[in-house]
Amino acid sequence: MSVTVDLHSHTTASDGRLSPSELIHLFGKRGLKTVAITDHDTTNGLEEALKTKRAYPDMTLIPGVELSADSKDTEMHLLGYFLDYEDDSFQKTLSKFREGRVGRAMTMVKKLSDLGVKLKWERVLEFAGDGAVGRPHIARTMIEMGYVASMSEAFDKYLGRGMAVYAERDKFSPLDAIELIHSVNGLAVLAHPSWVDNLESQLPALVEAGLAGMEVHYSRYSSGLIAELESMANRFGLVSCGGSDYHANNDPGESLPGDQGPPQESVDRLKEIAMARISTH
């Protein structure tokens, strides 16, 4: 069965390399029917994407976001779906966290310089454009300057958590991230759960806070890991979600939209939960 759902993707509004319009056209070319754009700490790409989607009347675009959170020495990313994203308070909160990304990026560029990796801050900003500044923009500058050969090398050697130049920034707690998503009538889903330390012990508190789903059908996950995560999702009553996490980085082995994703039944379950939440609030 071909994949027609992709609930995790990024545009130039954060750290993707395709504009929202370009990404929508790629979704259409790839035959996707239900998609979500989930940029980091921003929904600024959604207006353009929704306008472009008019050319694809059979496609459903779910408004989304991806939020970073810290808990018990591990990082979690929470995806929000079906957001009333134009809410002023919600947008002010996202703006605050995007400002934190700028300060963190400047710190990391300084640390790189101290190690002899000399980057121009202005070039990092050029890669970010109008989007939220992130580590991938530093990585792309490093590639251009010849310090590393790929995004993965940049993260594995320098930019990843625990690596030489990693710097923290203000983040939500996972429960605060879920609460923020709920504040705009959204549903919260745990992204790439294999990245979370002690996942199973973390899930009860998240479920109690209203976590609706967990990524199971995620890019580069093996069939064995998918089966393991699906079993865990079922035990905790979570919807099995997923997608490509597409950034258009052109790294070797990067998943394309539609290479990996959940069945339409998962989207239907999410919609039912969303409608139930709205009716009780």
Side-chain angles (χ1 to χ4, degrees):
M1 183 187 301
S2 61
V3 174
T4 61
V5 178
D6 193 321
L7 301 180
H8 193 162
S9 64
H10 299 274
T11 76
T12 50
S14 63
D15 57 352
R17 301 185 77 171
L18 295 185
S19 70
S21 291
E22 290 171 331
L23 184 57
I24 291 294
H25 287 311
L26 180 59
F27 287 152
K29 183 179 179 180
R30 300 277 295 173
L32 290 163
K33 299 300 182 184
T34 304
V35 298
I37 289 177
T38 52
D39 280 313
H40 296 280
D41 296 339
T42 185
T43 61
N44 289 345
L46 290 176
E47 184 175 351
E48 178 184 332
L50 287 165
K51 288 180 180 177
T52 305
K53 194 208 74 68
R54 294 172 189 164
Y56 302 93
D58 293 334
M59 182 189 296
T60 298
L61 173 60
I62 298 171
V65 74
E66 183 170 2
L67 305 176
S68 299
D70 271 335
S71 173
K72 297 180 182 177
D73 299 320
T74 190
E75 185 172 357
M76 297 185 195
H77 289 194
L78 279 301
L79 299 162
Y81 298 126
F82 304 108
L83 310 169
D84 294 336
Y85 62 91
E86 293 178 329
D87 179 86
D88 285 345
S89 178
F90 179 68
Q91 289 298 333
K92 287 177 182 176
T93 300
L94 293 186
S95 178
K96 172 187 172 184
F97 280 89
R98 289 198 299 274
E99 290 171 5
R101 285 181 172 274
V102 175
R104 192 262 292 267
M106 292 179 71
T107 297
M108 294 178 81
V109 168
K110 173 63 167 60
K111 287 185 174 184
L112 283 168
S113 179
D114 292 342
L115 293 176
V117 179
K118 306 292 185 180
L119 305 181
K120 291 184 177 179
W121 173 244
E122 294 77 14
R123 186 58 176 147
V124 175
L125 293 180
E126 286 174 5
F127 273 115
D130 293 330
V133 178
R135 286 177 290 171
H137 303 122
I138 300 174
R140 288 171 196 153
T141 308
M142 294 172 72
I143 293 169
E144 183 179 74
M145 296 290 292
Y147 288 111
V148 294
S150 66
M151 298 284 288
S152 57
E153 183 183 354
F155 275 79
D156 290 345
K157 289 185 176 180
Y158 297 98
L159 307 177
R161 190 181 182 93
M163 296 298 105
V165 304
Y166 182 81
E168 292 288 352
R169 65 181 178 89
D170 287 340
K171 294 177 185 172
F172 302 92
S173 74
L175 301 189
D176 286 341
I178 292 172
E179 183 178 355
L180 179 65
I181 291 166
H182 286 171
S183 75
V184 287
N185 295 317
L187 292 187
V189 168
L190 180 63
H192 32 72
S194 67
W195 298 10
V196 177
D197 295 336
N198 304 310
L199 172 63
E200 195 158 359
S201 67
Q202 307 257 15
L203 284 175
L206 299 177
V207 171
E208 185 177 353
L211 186 72
M214 181 171 79
E215 285 196 322
V216 169
H217 307 274
Y218 180 71
S219 62
R220 304 195 193 188
Y221 275 4
S222 67
S223 58
L225 181 54
I226 289 172
E228 179 184 337
L229 290 172
E230 183 129 44
S231 175
M232 191 179 301
N234 289 337
R235 289 203 310 275
F236 284 93
L238 297 170
V239 180
S240 295
C241 301
S244 60
D245 197 1
Y246 186 63
H247 288 73
N249 286 329
N250 299 320
D251 272 356
E254 181 179 20
S255 294
L256 292 170
D259 282 354
Q260 186 65 273
Q264 180 61 39
E265 289 86 341
S266 292
V267 178
D268 296 339
R269 285 186 62 196
L270 288 176
K271 288 180 179 177
E272 289 172 4
I273 296 169
M275 292 301 294
R277 280 193 57 81
I278 292 173
S279 66
T280 57
H281 287 79

